[in-house]
Amino acid sequence: MNAMNTVLVFLEQREGVVKKSSIDIWNRVQELAALRPGTAVSALLAGPASSRQLDGSLGGNGVVYHANEAAFKLYNPEHYTRLVVETMKKVAATALFFADTALSRDLAPRLSVRLKASLLTGCAVDDVWGADGGGCCQRAVYSGAAIASFAPTRPLKIYTCTSRPTRSSSAITSGAQASVVVLEPSSRTREELFPLVRRMVMHAGVRDVAEARIIVAGGRGMGSAGSFGLLEELARLLGGAVGASRAVVDEGWRPHAEQIGQTGKTVAPALYLACAISGAPQHLAGIGSAGIVVAINCDPHAPIFDIADYALVGDVHLLLPKLIEEFQEFLKKR
Ligand SMILES: Cc1cc2nc3c(=O)[nH]c(=O)nc-3n(C[C@H](O)[C@H](O)[C@H](O)COP(=O)(O)OP(=O)(O)OC[C@H]3O[C@@H](n4cnc5c(N)ncnc54)[C@H](O)[C@@H]3O)c2cc1C
């Protein structure tokens, strides 16, 4: 009999590297669990992970269940669903947390049906699990015209979440090291049962906005696809990723993979630099968990300034080259 209330965090890997967005969720859930006596946090990692991550950087007091089978290397809905269901039962978990990613948007609904669980998507961890959270999550609906509150109705809950960036992207601050339990291979995950038909790699080598700690995003006010060269240069200097508003993607200036917002990606960078983005509610829906927001806009009344921590009023074509120059100088001196 398990007297503890156990919650499970799903750690998503790609190419054997656990995604930063998953680690942020793992860290934050553990930090919040420390405030809830009688709560244990475990994690499930499907597929290979670098020994560096397993041995050193998955901090905390919890147990990481590692299913290190070849069949879990790439996402397979059938295999992953079975694995998560079995692990949820094994640890008698009452809640399951995912980072809000393309994978979790596919997997979590399947799991909610299999496990008869309430599913809340696009939540901030602190909203659903913080001291005042009460398991509810709020989201803008009807193009930002209203705020809807979603509350779980079943004992078992599944959340796809973003988390405000934690201080470290690799380990929680307690210094403790999670213990790793390797799960027994299962005969039911043979790859020939569910063969992979084709794997497509989009925009190889480009940093994913959903994983980036710094995002330099551009809106329609950038004026052309060519102007995004300035943002690429700035992102390169800062070690960040380029993001875009939907207007930009609709213009065909940038790929949809970079779109941030209601119909794009939800991001949680430590720094979000919004360049010539008006700040429509559908765009803001994607950056609610961002740390510091810096906005550049020539319109002093642009709505983006309502949520920005720092406002630069002016023309991006004048300000961005200056910013790039300043950063270059700064980096030279370091
Ligand atoms: C159902 C639905 C879903 C949507 N989903 C998304 C989504 O996921 N993501 C998203 O982004 N949008 C989404 N939208 C669209 C959203 O409503 C806005 O239309 C869009 O975000 C506007 O993009 P923008 O800010 O780049 O462009 P604009 O609204 O055209 O704003 C351009 C801004 O650039 C400024 N500007 C112009 N020139 C300069 C200059 N030289 N220097 C500095 N500033 C300048 C202007 O003052 C203006 O504020 C959605 C809309 C709907 C209806």
Side-chain angles (χ1 to χ4, degrees), residues 143 218-222 244-248 259-264 276-280 282-283 296-299 302 314-317:
S143 303
R220 188 170 12 218
M222 291 301 296
S245 69
R246 175 163 156 180
V248 164
Q259 185 182 314
I260 291 161
Q262 189 180 312
T263 44
I277 292 177
S278 58
Q282 297 86 357
H283 185 82
I296 307 179
N297 201 299
C298 58
D299 173 6
D315 187 334
V316 278
H317 300 289

Side-chain angles (χ1 to χ4, degrees), residues 2-9 36 38-40 87-89 91-97 115-118 129 152 154-159:
N2 192 352
M4 297 287 272
N5 174 32
T6 301
V7 301
L8 190 71
V9 177
R36 295 174 169 236
T39 302
T87 313
M88 287 290 283
K89 289 184 178 156
V91 302
T94 54
L96 170 63
F97 289 88
L115 292 164
K116 298 190 172 42
S118 287
W129 228 55
R154 295 185 166 168
L156 195 54
K157 298 150 195 100
I158 300 178
Y159 303 107

Side-chain angles (χ1 to χ4, degrees), residues 84-148:
V84 179
V85 168
E86 284 179 7
T87 313
M88 287 290 283
K89 289 184 178 156
K90 181 184 173 77
V91 302
T94 54
L96 170 63
F97 289 88
F98 286 95
D100 193 19
T101 65
L103 183 152
S104 68
R105 287 183 192 187
D106 187 73
L107 181 58
R110 291 168 187 272
L111 290 166
S112 77
V113 174
R114 290 282 174 90
L115 292 164
K116 298 190 172 42
S118 287
L119 170 63
L120 275 73
T121 58
C123 318
V125 178
D126 285 68
D127 285 352
V128 292
W129 228 55
D132 310 321
C136 298
C137 133
Q138 294 202 324
R139 269 211 319 270
V141 290
Y142 302 121
S143 303
I147 301 287

Side-chain angles (χ1 to χ4, degrees), residues 166-205:
T166 42
R167 250 181 294 167
S168 159
S169 66
S170 57
I172 68 168
T173 44
S174 71
Q177 173 59 45
S179 51
V180 178
V181 172
V182 177
L183 293 173
E184 288 292 316
S186 162
S187 57
R188 284 181 291 153
T189 45
R190 293 200 331 269
E191 288 189 76
E192 61 268 28
L193 291 178
F194 303 103
L196 180 72
V197 178
R198 187 160 54 121
R199 181 171 175 236
M200 291 169 66
V201 179
M202 310 279 285
H203 316 293

